[in-house]
Amino acid sequence: MADDSHLPFAFPAIHRRKVTAAFDGGRRTSDGGVLLLAQAERRIGIAAQLADCIADPRDPSRTVHSLDSILRARILAIACGYEDADDLDALRHDPGFKMALGELPDGPVGLASQATMSRWENTPTTRELFRLTGALIDIYCASYPAPPSMVTLDIDDTVDVVHGTQQLSFWNGHHGERCFLPIHVYDTATGRPVAMLLRTGKTPSGAEIAGHIRRLVRRIRRHWPDTHIILRGDCHYGRPEPMRWCENNRVDYVFGLPGNAALHADPVIVTVADGCATDRAIRGDSQLRRYAETHYAAKSWGKTMRRVAARIEASALGLDIRFVVTSLSSASAEHIYDTLYCARGQAENLIKLQKTQLKSDRTSCRSANANQMRLILHTAAYWLIWAVREAVPAKNPLRTAEFATIRVRLLKVAARVIETARRLRIAFGSACPDVQVFRSISLSLRPVGP
């Protein structure tokens, strides 16, 4: 069947002049901003670090594409919005992507095909996936120029709906779906991703959470032995096993705690709640908020009493009391709840960037290992867009933009590639609205040295 993609077509006439078009413009790319991503990737070195974790049994004399170039092409494509491996078949000869991988636009060999990409997504073993996840943590630690005195890490799980019989998929009654519940860990204050772990679609147990936290913290402390680490999570993570491990290993925590009859009957909580409801009624306010703290030990905690902070809100609808359990002893209950615990809501926005704007929930492979590999590749793409956004000048609105906005404004930039015997010239559109910020990012990400 003939390919009609290059046949001309027409648009409505303008001032009695015909408007015709065809996809025959030659060396042009619609993703000129992929070169910014390539600069960010070279600075981080993420593709090479991931490739070092995977055994490559191929004969080097017969290898056309190195493993790091295969992973680099896949990561760049995801960042540009091409989340499926089969998109690489259409991008193999795109001049922007070829230059981003260090190839000449008119070179005879294209980038790796979809079949090659899919093969390597399914190649890593479970042991190699552990090394890959550890490499992401190493990249996170290396992103700081010096070990920070303190970091707060948000840990949360998110529903990832499946539509087949993938390994680890499980029916979740709360979400009403057959799904995965992958765990995401972020340094929320800076937006940095730390670790992503695919797991079955049921709520994690306390022992499972403690195991994940142990491996995470031990890897971080290889780089930052003296950094004060605070873990923050919702009530799924307020289990005795992770709290006990944190207390025994110099890690502080702020976890949500489900309310129960014992907590609601605590004399301190009752006194503050009654006073809050009474004062609201006397003042005639629509709502009034107070804070209280107590020490509490659930039966599963044994004899260990832990500090519990309560947020008490009275309104015309009645009392609403929320609890958090923490190992911190110095801050007030108000600071712990409003400033520390509520800030974890930003982690949900970061998960949204991963799921809806980088499509990290495209975990449709049959094998759980392949789906974990996809999650790692999408996290690598997150790093690249994050690095480009961090290079935006501080006062520019794009410095706080979502990834979808960064992609539309800075990555989806059309360009013409002019290749001569001595140089390559990239001609961007003169009317591009973000000329100055694009140039500033490119200069900021340029390698240091000759």
Side-chain angles (χ1 to χ4, degrees), residues 24-41:
D24 57 359
R27 284 193 299 266
R28 285 170 170 79
T29 179
S30 59
D31 298 280
V34 71
L35 296 172
L36 296 180
L37 294 173
Q39 285 183 281
E41 196 282 325

Side-chain angles (χ1 to χ4, degrees), residues 44-347:
I44 300 172
I46 194 166
Q49 291 184 62
L50 296 181
D52 286 343
C53 299
I54 306 172
D56 187 353
R58 299 177 298 172
D59 182 353
S61 64
R62 300 184 179 184
T63 298
V64 177
H65 303 288
S66 63
L67 178 52
D68 63 323
S69 70
I70 293 171
L71 298 181
R72 186 176 295 112
R74 182 78 168 102
I75 293 166
L76 292 174
I78 292 170
C80 287
Y82 305 104
E83 64 271 8
D84 292 321
D86 56 5
D87 293 322
L88 271 298
D89 282 340
L91 297 172
R92 293 188 67 192
H93 299 285
D94 183 282
F97 277 87
K98 292 185 73 173
M99 287 191 296
L101 269 77
E103 301 289 342
L104 292 174
D106 272 352
V109 179
L111 304 182
S113 66
Q114 173 270 326
T116 301
M117 297 289 176
S118 297
R119 190 177 303 117
W120 280 106
E121 283 184 356
N122 285 270
T123 294
T125 64
T126 302
R127 186 177 294 275
E128 288 171 337
L129 289 170
F130 271 104
R131 290 202 291 266
L132 287 162
T133 303
L136 290 180
I137 300 173
D138 295 340
I139 290 165
Y140 161 69
C141 294
S143 68
Y144 280 86
S149 59
M150 183 186 75
V151 291
T152 301
L153 304 181
D154 283 294
I155 181 169
D156 201 359
D157 50 70
T158 182
V159 63
D160 181 352
V161 178
V162 303
H163 302 284
T165 56
Q166 291 99 313
Q167 292 176 347
L168 295 185
S169 63
F170 196 84
W171 174 262
N172 188 294
H174 174 74
H175 296 288
E177 298 281 1
R178 193 170 185 86
C179 62
F180 303 124
L181 279 182
I183 288 178
H184 291 234
V185 183
Y186 295 95
D187 180 343
T188 303
T190 62
R192 290 172 166 92
V194 182
M196 312 293 154
L197 179 66
L198 189 78
R199 52 176 305 283
T200 189
K202 63 180 180 179
T203 302
S205 67
E208 180 187 350
I209 295 167
H212 296 324
I213 291 175
R214 182 183 68 252
R215 289 184 286 271
L216 170 67
V217 172
R218 285 180 177 175
R219 189 81 181 204
I220 291 174
R221 282 193 169 147
R222 290 185 187 180
H223 304 271
W224 302 339
D226 301 319
T227 296
H228 179 205
I229 299 173
I230 300 176
L231 288 176
R232 191 165 53 189
D234 62 16
C235 57
H236 288 174
Y237 300 90
R239 310 288 183 86
E241 295 90 346
M243 290 191 290
R244 190 178 305 118
W245 188 90
C246 290
E247 290 160 355
N248 293 334
N249 291 273
R250 300 182 296 112
V251 175
D252 282 316
Y253 58 82
V254 181
F255 294 141
L257 187 65
N260 55 42
L263 280 170
H264 284 281
D266 185 279
V268 176
I269 304 298
V270 169
T271 300
V272 177
D274 286 348
C276 184
T278 301
D279 290 347
R280 186 209 69 83
I282 293 173
R283 296 179 187 180
D285 295 335
S286 60
Q287 64 180 33
L288 183 64
R289 179 175 288 193
R290 297 274 172 82
Y291 301 87
E293 64 176 86
T294 186
H295 284 80
Y296 167 77
K299 181 182 292 187
S300 60
W301 299 2
K303 296 181 179 180
T304 305
M305 301 290 288
R306 294 185 170 96
R307 186 185 182 197
V308 174
R311 187 273 286 158
I312 301 166
E313 189 169 273
S315 68
L317 299 177
L319 284 170
D320 179 37
I321 306 177
R322 304 293 176 89
F323 302 95
V324 297
V325 58
T326 181
S327 60
L328 298 171
S329 58
S330 58
S332 67
E334 180 177 358
H335 179 80
I336 287 173
Y337 189 89
D338 276 355
T339 303
L340 293 182
Y341 182 71
C342 288
R344 62 167 291 277
Q346 177 63 13

